[in-house]
Amino acid sequence: MRELRVGLNQTQKVRLQSALKQLEELSSRVSNSSTASVTVADTIPVNLEDGVLKGHGTTDHNGEVVATLCGVVERVNKLVYVRTLRARYKPEIGDIIVGRVIEVAPKQWRLEINFSQDAVLMLSSMNLPDGIQRRRTAVDELNMRSIFEENNVICAEVRGFQHDGSLHLQARSQKYGKLERGQLLTVPPYLVKRRKQHFHHLEQYGVDLILGCNGFIWVGEHIEANEDEMMQEKAFTPFVTRRNICLIANAVRVLSVLGFNLSLEVIIDTVEASSSSNLDIKDMLGAEFCVQTAEREVQRRTTLIKKKG
């Protein structure tokens, strides 16, 4: 999304800078010493008598724990480490990811998942089209392209790592599989936080939203598991659904440009704000709406802080 350039006039620049400054002040108010932001060479306050373990992004200098990275200080029991705010995607077992097939190999598919290495989805790690649990045969291997082929977008779960560092996926659930009739968006992975739920069905819009932990976001037409055969015969997506897909996709783009964490609540608020303003879909990517989105985020966080206080 960084290729999206927003031209701001002088008034809009002042408003945006003011909103971002307020957001920074609000973040400093809710943060405490255990989750403080640090830059390189900053001292991390710890009690050395407790036997603190120095983790990633820290070092010992003149008897003090010093940060070697820019980020947020995290503490797990006695372990102290620095979590970088703008890091590349680091997979963890159980992550929900969205990827694109780049190769159909013997008994496996290779996927691009916005990671330093390609991921592998084995034929034995997914449900067959007939849904029957059985051993995979040579016929199944010959029919792999009828399941997934190059450039198909699919959703899967991180299964684990092999000794050579390769990432293995699994898709043994009805919610995983090929994604069609939608848009694939790419955002910085640090904007997508790991949550209990990454699959969202927006009933009022007839759209499915999948927030991939790897920074790939899918916005597409909602398809029930038992409607796959009907969708194969259906050659089009209704205009209203296509419009809603574009609305939600543009909301994700605006939030990504501003560097805001992506959550269902924030995305829906952005979509509703554009609808209440009677904006065209293309105007959501304009300078004025971006500034208004930042100002609404200030109001939202201020309200949350008052409720907690």
Side-chain angles (χ1 to χ4, degrees), residues 5-283:
R5 294 290 182 263
V6 179
L8 301 173
N9 59 37
Q10 190 61 36
T11 303
Q12 292 168 340
K13 286 181 180 179
V14 173
R15 290 169 55 197
L16 181 60
Q17 291 174 358
S18 175
L20 295 178
K21 184 177 181 180
Q22 292 181 60
L23 288 173
E24 185 178 352
E25 293 175 352
L26 291 173
S27 298
S28 63
R29 286 172 56 185
V30 299
S31 62
N32 51 48
S33 60
S34 62
T35 58
S37 298
V38 293
T39 58
V40 177
D42 281 354
T43 300
I44 301 175
V46 296
N47 188 355
L48 297 178
E49 296 180 356
D50 294 337
V52 173
L53 301 176
K54 295 180 288 294
H56 178 70
T58 64
T59 188
D60 192 356
H61 181 69
N62 294 334
E64 296 181 339
V65 180
V66 177
T68 60
L69 296 172
C70 297
V72 177
V73 178
E74 299 283 356
R75 301 169 189 261
V76 180
N77 296 329
K78 294 184 178 181
L79 175 66
V80 178
Y81 66 96
V82 178
R83 174 175 57 83
T84 54
L85 294 179
R86 297 193 175 187
R88 294 193 63 177
Y89 172 59
K90 294 182 179 179
E92 294 184 7
I93 296 176
D95 278 358
I96 305 299
I97 61 97
V98 177
R100 187 185 295 275
V101 178
I102 59 175
E103 181 185 356
V104 181
K107 296 184 180 180
Q108 65 182 19
W109 295 270
R110 301 192 70 83
L111 281 74
E112 159 61 27
I113 62 165
N114 201 23
F115 182 48
S116 57
Q117 296 187 31
D118 296 332
V120 173
L121 176 62
M122 301 296 296
L123 178 60
S124 58
S125 297
M126 64 164 298
N127 287 335
L128 295 176
D130 55 17
I132 301 175
Q133 298 294 330
R134 57 178 173 81
R135 293 179 63 89
R136 275 54 171 174
T137 63
V139 176
D140 294 325
E141 187 174 350
L142 290 173
N143 293 331
M144 284 179 60
R145 288 185 183 274
S146 65
I147 305 175
F148 303 135
E149 58 183 3
E150 288 85 350
N151 292 322
N152 281 167
V153 178
I154 70 172
C155 178
E157 178 182 326
V158 176
R159 178 183 178 185
F161 300 87
Q162 297 299 315
H163 62 277
D164 60 352
S166 61
L167 183 66
H168 277 227
L169 308 175
Q170 67 92 5
R172 290 198 180 96
S173 173
Q174 292 288 344
K175 62 184 179 180
Y176 303 134
K178 185 189 297 186
L179 302 174
E180 297 180 294
R181 306 182 187 281
Q183 293 188 28
L184 177 65
L185 309 174
T186 304
V187 302
Y190 58 83
L191 296 182
V192 182
K193 304 302 180 185
R194 291 179 173 89
R195 305 176 186 274
K196 292 183 179 179
Q197 185 62 260
H198 286 262
F199 294 88
H200 303 285
H201 170 39
L202 311 181
E203 296 184 9
Q204 66 272 36
Y205 300 106
V207 170
D208 283 335
L209 174 65
I210 303 177
L211 302 176
C213 295
N214 58 332
F216 285 175
I217 310 296
W218 175 259
V219 185
E221 181 180 1
H222 176 66
I223 302 175
E224 295 289 349
N226 57 0
E227 293 181 356
D228 290 341
E229 295 181 359
M230 296 176 58
M231 291 302 298
Q232 292 177 1
E233 300 176 358
K234 185 179 177 181
F236 67 93
T237 300
F239 173 77
V240 175
T241 304
R242 282 183 285 152
R243 184 179 183 278
N244 291 337
I245 290 173
C246 293
L247 274 173
I248 297 171
N250 279 356
V252 172
R253 291 187 176 100
V254 171
L255 295 171
S256 175
V257 167
L258 294 171
F260 294 162
N261 289 338
L262 297 176
S263 64
L264 178 63
E265 296 77 13
V266 177
I267 293 173
I268 294 299
D269 286 346
T270 306
V271 173
E272 291 178 347
S274 68
S275 299
S276 62
S277 301
N278 295 322
L279 284 178
D280 289 337
I281 296 177
K282 60 181 178 62
D283 293 334

